[in-house]
Amino acid sequence: LYFRDDNVYIICTHIENGQNTFIRKRSLDGKVDEMVYENMDEAYMLEEELQWYSSRLYMKEYIYNTENMEDSTQGTRLVAYDFATNKTEYIDLGNFSGYCFSKDERYCYFYRINDGLYRRDMKDGKEKKLYESPEGYNLFEVYWQLYNNDRFIVCNTFR
């Protein structure tokens, strides 16, 4: 559950006779109950850890190989829900693990698996590689940390 203003956002992946991933918006007073995102394709599943900034809710969605669940994760994509317009869009970052946004949402910082850390300008879509991944290491988290009033990106890696 995620709360914003006078609403609660319910995130659920339901698996029964196929897979249904959705986000439902309900007002705390009970007057609003609407589906803001729904994907009936069983190849996609939302990560339940969402991030929201001033205008959008961001979700990482996994793409699964439904033929072979042993090697199931085939990739990822970023889903953005705009609170003002109630519209959802997909942002292609390639196969990525962690991500975070600058405070003004101008830049998305993300780690492309087996490649490195990137910065994407959300206005023009241009990407810049900031860090080459050392061979044999992958990154699973990217987030902002505040230290002495300065913000910096923290990246956790694993081998």
Side-chain angles (χ1 to χ4, degrees):
L1 300 176
Y2 289 86
F3 294 88
R4 178 182 170 92
D5 300 326
D6 292 328
N7 299 301
V8 60
Y9 293 83
I10 303 157
I11 297 90
C12 183
T13 297
H14 179 73
I15 302 173
E16 185 176 306
N17 299 326
Q19 183 167 295
N20 180 6
T21 299
F22 65 86
I23 298 176
R24 178 176 229 109
K25 173 184 171 182
R26 289 192 176 165
S27 62
L28 297 177
D29 64 7
K31 293 179 182 175
V32 175
D33 182 4
E34 61 189 29
M35 197 72 70
V36 298
Y37 175 79
E38 185 172 27
N39 191 338
M40 300 293 285
D41 189 336
E42 65 183 26
Y44 296 91
M45 188 168 81
L46 283 177
E47 179 179 69
E48 292 189 15
E49 182 180 323
L50 309 182
Q51 296 185 35
W52 80 68
Y53 295 84
S54 62
S55 64
R56 288 179 158 194
L57 178 68
Y58 295 94
M59 306 151 271
K60 181 167 64 171
E61 194 168 56
Y62 291 96
I63 305 166
Y64 285 95
N65 176 355
T66 56
E67 301 294 318
N68 180 7
M69 292 308 282
E70 294 293 318
D71 182 27
S72 60
T73 304
Q74 299 298 301
T76 52
R77 65 182 180 182
L78 191 63
V79 180
Y81 169 71
D82 190 303
F83 292 107
T85 64
N86 287 327
K87 295 196 186 288
T88 303
E89 74 171 297
Y90 297 106
I91 301 167
D92 184 13
L93 302 176
N95 193 13
F96 71 99
S97 57
Y99 70 98
C100 66
F101 284 83
S102 60
K103 190 175 181 179
D104 62 1
E105 293 181 72
R106 169 80 189 263
Y107 298 105
C108 177
Y109 296 88
F110 63 96
Y111 182 82
R112 192 168 285 147
I113 295 173
N114 295 321
D115 190 0
L117 181 67
Y118 283 81
R119 181 185 75 190
R120 179 188 180 113
D121 187 319
M122 298 305 288
K123 289 186 179 184
D124 63 18
K126 292 182 182 174
E127 294 179 358
K128 179 180 180 182
K129 190 173 196 174
L130 303 175
Y131 176 75
E132 180 79 31
S133 176
E135 190 172 330
Y137 282 86
N138 262 317
L139 182 123
F140 63 95
E141 270 186 315
V142 177
Y143 59 91
W144 286 104
Q145 186 73 38
L146 188 63
Y147 181 74
N148 287 339
N149 293 324
D150 289 328
R151 293 178 78 211
F152 59 93
I153 295 176
V154 175
C155 302
N156 290 325
T157 59
F158 65 92
R159 185 166 231 191

